[in-house]
Amino acid sequence: MPRKHRVVDEKRVLRRLERFGKNIVDQIMKDQPPRIVVPIRTLANTVWSRKERILKLGSRKAIREFFDIGESKRFMQTVLMLSIIIRARREGDYPTIRDLYYTGKHTITYVDEYGRRRTEETWDTQRESNAVIQDIEVATGLLREHMGIMHDTKGKIAGNMIIRSKGSDIDLSRMGSGAYAIPPNVDNLEIRRVDADWVLVVEKDAIFHRLNEEEFWRKNNCILMTGKGQPDRSTRRMVRRLWEEYSLPVYILTDSDSYGFYIYSVYRSGSISLSYESERLATPEARFLGLTPSDITEYKIPKNFIIKATDRDIKRAKELLAYPWFKESKAWIKELNIFLKKKEKVEIEALSGHGFKFLSRVYIPEKIKKKKWIE
Amino acid sequence: MESYKGLSPSQFFYRNREIAGFSNPVRSLYQAVRELLENSLDATETHGILPEIKLEIKPSNNQNDKITIRIEDNGIGIPITEVPNVFARVFYGSKYVLRQARGVFGLGVKMAVLYAQITTATPIYVKSSIESSETEYEYRLFIDIEKNLPIVLELNVRKKRKKWHGTIVELTIQGNWPLARRRIEEYVRRTALIAPYATIRLITPESSIEYKRVSRKLPEPPQVGKYHPKGVDIELLKILIRSADRKMRLLDFLTKYFDGVGKKTALNFCQWAGFNPDHKIGRLTLTDLEKLSNKMHVYNKWRRPKPLTLSPLGDTLLKEGVKRILEPEFVTAISRPPSSYGGNPFIIETALAWGGKVPVSDTPMLLRFANRIPLLYDESVDVSRKIIDAIDWNVYKVKFPAPIAIVTHICSTKIPFKGVGKEAIAEVPEVEKELNIAIRETARRLRRHLSRIEKMYEIKRKEVTISKYMDEVTRALAYILNNDGGETIIKQKLMELLKKEIKRKAIVRGGIKSAAKAPCSR
């Protein structure tokens, strides 16, 4: 029985945003200098929750006071962004973060303390406006998707499942050679039915399409997904929902290199910069199917298919070893040490040396059957 | 056979006029103006009169190298019988007493007369009257160089038509006005700085500048004092003994003629120096005098010289003077307590001006004065320059180029000049120490001022920073509230809050201890 997912109620989102703003006005009316309390989003306030096995935001909060000249600009930006988001919600618009950047970009003219006329932009770069959006997310506990903010998506999904979106049922097993493009706000989708035993997430788009052409998901009764490299928020959210609501095991397939390992790490535990969303985006039980550094010998990858690891790969792998979820896994320590020792990386396609169907007919089924994944 | 003959003082100075500053047409014109202006000031301020001086410089008969200088003052005037001697007899004057004065030897103005006489063959014109006199009198005078005596060409005496006192002097000399102009104007400007109680009008072919007095307060005039025993030499001893009763005992001589010497001090000194206090001074031999002079120098238990002979300007007047001439944004002045070097009392006064119309430069601008005479030359070798250049101005928050000027004034019965030029003060340790203390104290006050300004700007910056975002914030909040009229109310409230915040900050920054009790925003 799937766990019930509640579609986000737009009215509630709007109320919560308004409450956040009204709270500031209330302070002013009570003759208090206005301030906003925002949980800190830096690495120093990111903690590893062993119990939940995800990265979470710590308890430290920053108090942003309008009358503190070091923070008054950020305060103004936060309130400005809040009003723009509220307007979009009131008017039923779905702006992108770039739209928000442009909508809020004004020129302020003023006279400085020496009497000179000067101008200043409400924000100069999108970095600044993005940072404010993140502040509002953590301060209100709402994700940007809930607030109707769009972003580029690149995730795809195919398999035996039916979803409902904007009143239509969509059968993801009937997409032909194509696949369903995962939309920005995954929580607005209603998953009506899932008929699958597990989820396979592949790093590469090309591999996804090859497996989709072979109808791999139909033959193996699974859901096939890709995040096209480093996954975006909606792909991660979709993976999480399938695991959380349908208890499906999730397998991640990437190249055997530091970059691939890190992609797994993001699906599993979240990224540091978005640690406040881990609870909604991370899948702590995701399994790493391969390719592992020990696969190189195990599956007799030809020597000329092996790529030498660069200094950056090595540096990255060392960093991964320090991550708590890798540090606490014997299998991962073993694999990462092999990688660091041999300094060898391979792509998924290297398995094609054993034939094009080796991946779908042998490698994946065998690894799952023999439980040769690592966590 | 060679003929020997003595030179009269007039002859001596006629032959060596460059010693007195009359070396060329530029310098001579400058020097003549100086002498006349200083005489006028001495005739007024020293006698409790607020100076009212008019100085006029005009080319004579369209001849560019002949310049007529005319000066009018409201001084005490010169008694009718004294005029010829005062203006036309070298080494004759009222300044042969021990007190601070601009000139000492009564030489300057006579040099100007002498110079006029030899370069343009014109006599000096003097009109004067003293307050108690019913008459006013006009003289035209030459100097008999050979005999060092005045030659009166003309004398008119009239009944005064209106009540006045003072002196008018006019003389025509060879000079170069275009080249001397800047120096003379600067000299008058600086004189106006050090004499804020004086109204000085300078009329030149190009312009008429009036420095109106900014204060009606005159500094205490100096008193005539006695010599300090540390400052004597054999010649002085001889002069003093000559003027005294030859039968006077050494003990009485010391107590009567020297500053701060009582009976006890005199006895102690005699005992220490090996002199019989009852010795008659007329019986002292040259060897005795040499020994006495040396011992008086070395003895270290004399009382400090009394500064009554000095007339410092005082910090208030100095500040007024600096304000009127430099028009700075900030000015501070110090008048140090009296000190002495080698038996000569002296007082150091300094001022520091910042901002406003003070010119911006890479090093502090320096204006030096000695006994209220501006020193325009040889700044680079002056002790004040040395001290200023040795200071690390960063310590006082001064970053060059900066609008900073420093004024130094030394008052003494004997100014420790460096060399014969009388334009630079020598590095006498006692003087250097006093200058250092005074300059650094003014610099500390400047630092306090700059810190206050900095804090003021900091507060202002805060206000500006927050105010500039006010519109964005209130507009956004009013929209969020869904309240069209809300913007005005929110803005008004926020402005009130900001004002309170700024006020609170200003109080805390101002260092008022009760800041904690200041009205809180809640």
Side-chain angles (χ1 to χ4, degrees):
Chain A
M1 187 60 194
R3 274 166 64 182
K4 197 163 162 58
H5 171 76
R6 211 163 52 190
V7 173
V8 178
D9 181 353
E10 290 220 348
K11 276 190 190 133
R12 283 189 48 185
V13 169
L14 180 57
R15 270 208 303 279
R16 208 192 274 190
L17 289 168
E18 286 174 343
R19 200 158 56 230
F20 182 54
K22 274 178 185 144
N23 183 267
I24 299 167
V25 179
D26 287 347
Q27 294 171 40
I28 296 169
M29 291 305 167
K30 275 189 243 158
D31 290 331
Q32 294 168 5
R35 43 153 70 175
I36 299 171
V37 180
V38 181
I40 296 170
R41 291 186 281 104
T42 57
L43 178 61
N45 195 35
T46 302
V47 293
W48 165 245
S49 163
R50 182 169 285 137
K51 197 171 142 230
E52 296 164 81
R53 303 206 299 171
I54 52 171
L55 275 176
K56 290 179 79 171
L57 216 52
S59 56
R60 285 168 53 201
K61 290 180 166 63
I63 292 168
R64 204 154 281 158
E65 287 183 74
F66 184 41
F67 291 159
D68 180 330
I69 59 167
E71 291 170 348
S72 56
K73 181 163 195 180
R74 190 69 171 258
F75 181 97
M76 176 275 291
Q77 290 174 331
T78 310
V79 177
L80 173 61
M81 182 57 85
L82 182 67
S83 76
I84 297 167
I85 294 170
I86 287 176
R87 192 170 73 207
R89 290 308 358 98
R90 283 177 184 163
E91 297 175 8
D93 290 328
Y94 296 88
T96 65
I97 49 176
R98 189 125 189 100
D99 288 330
L100 295 175
Y101 161 70
Y102 279 118
T103 311
K105 189 169 168 61
H106 314 145
T107 305
I108 300 170
T109 57
Y110 67 101
V111 177
D112 75 6
E113 64 270 31
Y114 302 103
R116 291 173 299 210
R117 229 186 149 66
R118 316 200 96 183
T119 61
E120 186 178 314
E121 297 293 296
T122 45
W123 40 63
D124 290 308
T125 63
Q126 200 183 325
R127 255 178 89 100
E128 288 177 65
S129 59
N130 285 359
V132 176
I133 295 170
Q134 293 189 342
D135 282 347
I136 295 173
E137 286 183 275
V138 294
T140 59
L142 291 164
L143 290 188
R144 65 184 64 171
E145 291 78 5
H146 301 157
M147 298 187 274
I149 299 168
M150 302 291 119
H151 53 83
D152 286 349
T153 60
K154 50 185 187 170
K156 287 171 189 169
I157 184 168
N160 284 320
M161 67 186 273
I162 293 167
I163 56 168
R164 193 174 176 80
S165 176
K166 289 207 172 276
S168 308
D169 282 347
I170 302 158
D171 186 344
L172 303 192
S173 66
R174 304 179 70 159
M175 311 299 289
S177 289
Y180 182 68
I182 302 167
N185 192 354
V186 171
D187 286 336
N188 271 351
L189 300 176
E190 187 189 337
I191 304 173
R192 295 185 71 109
R193 196 165 64 82
V194 176
D195 184 9
D197 298 329
W198 42 279
V199 178
L200 178 69
V201 183
V202 297
E203 173 189 354
K204 288 171 161 172
D205 195 40
I207 303 292
F208 174 89
H209 284 297
R210 213 171 84 190
L211 293 175
N212 193 30
E213 281 301 326
E214 286 180 34
E215 296 199 305
F216 177 87
W217 47 269
R218 198 187 300 281
K219 287 169 189 160
N220 292 277
N221 200 32
C222 69
I223 304 288
L224 184 62
M225 290 179 71
T226 182
K228 274 193 181 180
Q230 192 60 254
D232 56 39
R233 299 155 57 105
S234 40
T235 309
R236 291 165 57 198
R237 179 67 188 144
M238 189 56 130
V239 172
R240 162 108 189 180
R241 282 191 65 185
L242 290 171
W243 166 74
E244 191 177 32
E245 293 167 32
Y246 293 88
S247 308
L248 297 184
V250 172
Y251 299 98
I252 313 287
L253 183 67
T254 73
D255 289 342
S256 177
D257 59 24
S258 317
Y259 189 66
F261 308 150
Y262 184 63
I263 287 174
Y264 163 74
S265 167
V266 169
Y267 276 115
R268 192 196 127 142
S269 307
S271 69
I272 289 162
S273 69
L274 297 176
S275 64
Y276 60 96
E277 300 156 322
S278 295
E279 280 171 79
R280 305 188 67 88
L281 301 181
T283 308
E285 285 177 8
R287 293 156 175 176
F288 186 69
L289 200 61
L291 275 55
T292 62
S294 58
D295 283 345
I296 296 172
T297 38
E298 193 88 358
Y299 289 90
K300 298 184 180 62
I301 307 280
K303 266 227 151 52
N304 52 345
F305 287 9
I306 298 168
I307 306 163
K308 202 175 160 9
T310 63
D311 290 347
R312 264 186 68 193
D313 288 322
I314 299 300
K315 191 173 162 257
R316 196 85 190 83
K318 281 180 182 160
E319 282 167 15
L320 292 176
L321 260 180
Y323 285 6
W325 49 97
F326 285 129
K327 219 158 62 181
E328 286 170 12
S329 159
K330 273 182 191 152
W332 267 111
I333 289 171
K334 187 187 138 215
E335 293 294 346
L336 285 171
N337 278 326
I338 292 171
F339 182 78
L340 286 172
K341 198 177 142 205
K342 293 196 167 175
K343 300 185 165 68
E344 290 174 344
K345 54 183 189 178
V346 284
E347 295 190 271
I348 301 173
E349 288 89 337
L351 291 172
S352 305
H354 300 302
F356 288 128
K357 292 203 166 63
F358 183 77
L359 176 69
S360 55
R361 298 267 172 90
V362 183
Y363 184 84
I364 299 170
E366 197 180 283
K367 277 222 152 181
I368 292 175
K369 204 173 142 204
K370 291 185 179 169
K371 303 196 171 181
K372 283 178 76 181
W373 67 79
I374 56 175
E375 287 182 272
Chain B
M1 191 168 162
E2 291 208 43
S3 68
Y4 293 90
K5 61 173 184 176
L7 285 180
S8 82
S10 298
Q11 275 174 317
F12 178 79
F13 281 102
Y14 171 60
R15 293 186 185 184
N16 300 285
R17 53 187 175 273
E18 58 283 348
I19 290 178
F22 289 82
S23 47
N24 61 57
V26 180
R27 189 74 199 256
S28 301
L29 179 54
Y30 167 71
Q31 198 63 33
V33 168
R34 266 189 68 164
E35 300 296 354
L36 292 172
L37 182 55
E38 283 162 19
N39 269 358
S40 287
L41 285 166
D42 278 341
T44 46
E45 62 184 25
T46 322
H47 303 278
I49 300 166
L50 289 168
E52 188 95 42
I53 296 166
K54 188 168 129 192
L55 174 63
E56 205 172 340
I57 293 166
K58 52 191 175 193
S60 169
N61 302 330
N62 298 329
Q63 272 175 287
N64 268 337
D65 60 339
K66 272 188 171 180
I67 311 289
T68 298
I69 309 164
R70 180 186 166 89
I71 192 158
E72 288 181 38
D73 66 51
N74 61 337
I76 49 168
I78 302 155
I80 185 164
T81 51
E82 291 292 336
V83 172
N85 282 334
V86 164
F87 285 96
R89 189 173 172 190
V90 178
F91 286 141
Y92 187 93
S94 62
K95 294 175 183 173
Y96 290 97
V97 287
L98 189 76
R99 70 174 169 204
Q100 176 193 328
R102 285 188 162 82
V104 174
F105 298 116
L107 189 62
V109 77
K110 279 141 250 181
M111 281 311 303
V113 175
L114 208 56
Y115 190 76
Q117 190 171 325
I118 61 175
T119 57
T120 68
T122 50
I124 184 173
Y125 165 85
V126 181
K127 178 177 175 181
S128 192
S129 180
I130 58 172
E131 197 174 13
S132 56
S133 169
E134 297 276 297
T135 58
E136 57 183 36
Y137 27 93
E138 285 175 308
Y139 276 96
R140 282 185 203 278
L141 300 164
F142 269 139
I143 297 176
D144 181 334
I145 295 169
E146 301 264 318
K147 293 183 187 136
N148 189 23
L149 283 172
I151 304 169
V152 178
L153 300 178
E154 194 183 325
L155 168 63
N156 301 313
V157 183
R158 275 193 303 268
K159 217 174 148 54
K160 272 200 272 195
R161 254 178 277 159
K162 57 175 185 192
K163 253 182 103 91
W164 76 285
H165 56 88
T167 306
I168 298 166
V169 178
E170 195 177 302
L171 51 77
T172 302
I173 62 167
Q174 196 182 67
N176 187 328
W177 168 244
L179 286 185
R181 180 184 167 192
R182 261 196 50 211
R183 279 178 201 169
I184 290 174
E185 284 176 352
E186 184 60 19
Y187 184 81
V188 173
R189 202 170 85 94
R190 292 199 190 185
T191 301
L193 185 154
I194 205 72
Y197 42 80
T199 292
I200 304 173
R201 221 167 125 199
L202 173 64
I203 300 161
T204 65
E206 291 84 9
S207 64
S208 166
I209 309 162
E210 188 175 36
Y211 298 99
K212 273 218 164 79
R213 72 170 59 85
V214 286
S215 170
R216 298 191 66 82
K217 198 184 155 256
L218 281 170
E220 283 292 314
Q223 294 175 12
V224 177
K226 298 183 215 166
Y227 288 91
H228 190 270
K230 255 190 181 321
V232 299
D233 53 38
I234 301 171
E235 276 315 302
L236 183 71
L237 283 176
K238 279 189 192 164
I239 293 168
L240 292 173
I241 288 170
R242 223 175 286 140
S243 66
D245 179 0
R246 290 179 54 81
K247 285 177 188 159
M248 190 181 254
R249 295 186 308 159
L250 180 57
L251 182 73
D252 299 324
F253 174 69
L254 287 173
T255 51
K256 192 176 171 197
Y257 284 91
F258 292 95
D259 175 31
V261 184
K263 205 166 182 178
K264 207 174 157 195
T265 311
L267 272 171
N268 284 343
F269 167 75
C270 289
Q271 198 176 0
W272 174 85
F275 280 99
N276 178 1
D278 295 327
H279 201 106
K280 300 281 184 294
I281 52 168
R283 297 255 180 102
L284 287 167
T285 63
L286 198 59
T287 326
D288 290 336
L289 286 179
E290 192 185 339
K291 186 183 166 197
L292 183 61
S293 159
N294 282 339
K295 292 285 180 187
M296 284 172 84
H297 261 282
V298 181
Y299 191 60
N300 57 12
K301 285 184 179 136
W302 301 120
R303 266 185 253 154
R304 277 166 58 134
K306 281 202 211 88
L308 297 173
T309 48
L310 302 180
S311 170
L313 200 56
D315 52 358
T316 316
L317 270 179
L318 184 56
K319 239 160 83 173
E320 289 303 319
V322 171
K323 265 194 222 160
R324 111 153 139 177
I325 299 303
L326 298 175
E327 296 178 64
E329 164 204 307
F330 167 81
V331 60
T332 181
I334 286 174
S335 188
R336 293 280 305 157
S339 182
S340 69
Y341 76 95
N344 305 297
F346 72 93
I347 286 175
I348 292 294
E349 297 181 297
T350 71
L352 187 152
W354 172 268
K357 292 193 177 163
V358 177
V360 172
S361 60
D362 291 326
T363 169
M365 174 183 165
L366 175 60
L367 297 106
R368 299 166 296 135
F369 297 89
N371 284 350
R372 289 188 221 152
I373 296 172
L375 305 178
L376 262 61
Y377 295 93
D378 303 335
E379 180 185 309
S380 59
V381 296
D382 194 285
V383 62
S384 296
R385 186 79 256 172
K386 182 187 145 194
I387 290 167
I388 290 166
D389 289 346
I391 289 175
D392 176 5
W393 288 92
N394 282 314
V395 172
Y396 303 105
K397 289 182 180 281
V398 175
K399 303 242 182 323
F400 290 102
I404 179 171
I406 289 166
V407 176
T408 60
H409 181 209
I410 173 168
C411 310
S412 180
T413 46
K414 191 178 176 209
I415 302 284
F417 282 118
K418 202 174 203 173
V420 290
K422 292 196 169 185
E423 288 284 351
I425 306 299
E427 285 150 33
V428 176
E430 293 88 342
V431 173
E432 198 171 337
K433 183 184 154 215
E434 282 294 310
L435 274 168
N436 222 322
I437 292 171
I439 293 172
R440 284 178 190 275
E441 175 56 27
T442 55
R444 272 191 292 276
R445 290 179 190 171
L446 172 66
R447 181 176 56 199
R448 274 199 293 277
H449 169 73
L450 292 178
S451 297
R452 264 199 298 273
I453 296 282
E454 227 169 61
K455 266 157 207 163
M456 223 175 69
Y457 272 119
E458 203 178 286
I459 290 167
K460 180 88 181 141
R461 183 154 51 242
K462 175 166 184 165
E463 198 180 351
V464 166
T465 303
I466 292 159
S467 303
K468 73 183 167 192
Y469 301 135
M470 200 66 95
D471 284 346
E472 289 287 343
V473 168
T474 50
R475 199 181 306 134
L477 288 176
Y479 176 78
I480 292 166
L481 268 191
N482 237 337
N483 183 345
D484 286 339
E487 199 172 327
T488 342
I489 302 161
I490 293 170
K491 189 167 175 179
Q492 200 184 326
K493 273 275 185 190
L494 258 184
M495 279 296 195
E496 276 170 27
L497 279 173
L498 178 60
K499 260 190 207 126
K500 260 192 222 168
E501 172 82 12
I502 299 288
K503 213 172 175 182
R504 194 173 58 87
K505 191 170 171 163
I507 292 168
V508 173
R509 289 295 182 151
I512 294 167
K513 288 233 173 91
S514 64
K517 286 178 212 154
C520 200
S521 53
R522 222 158 284 175

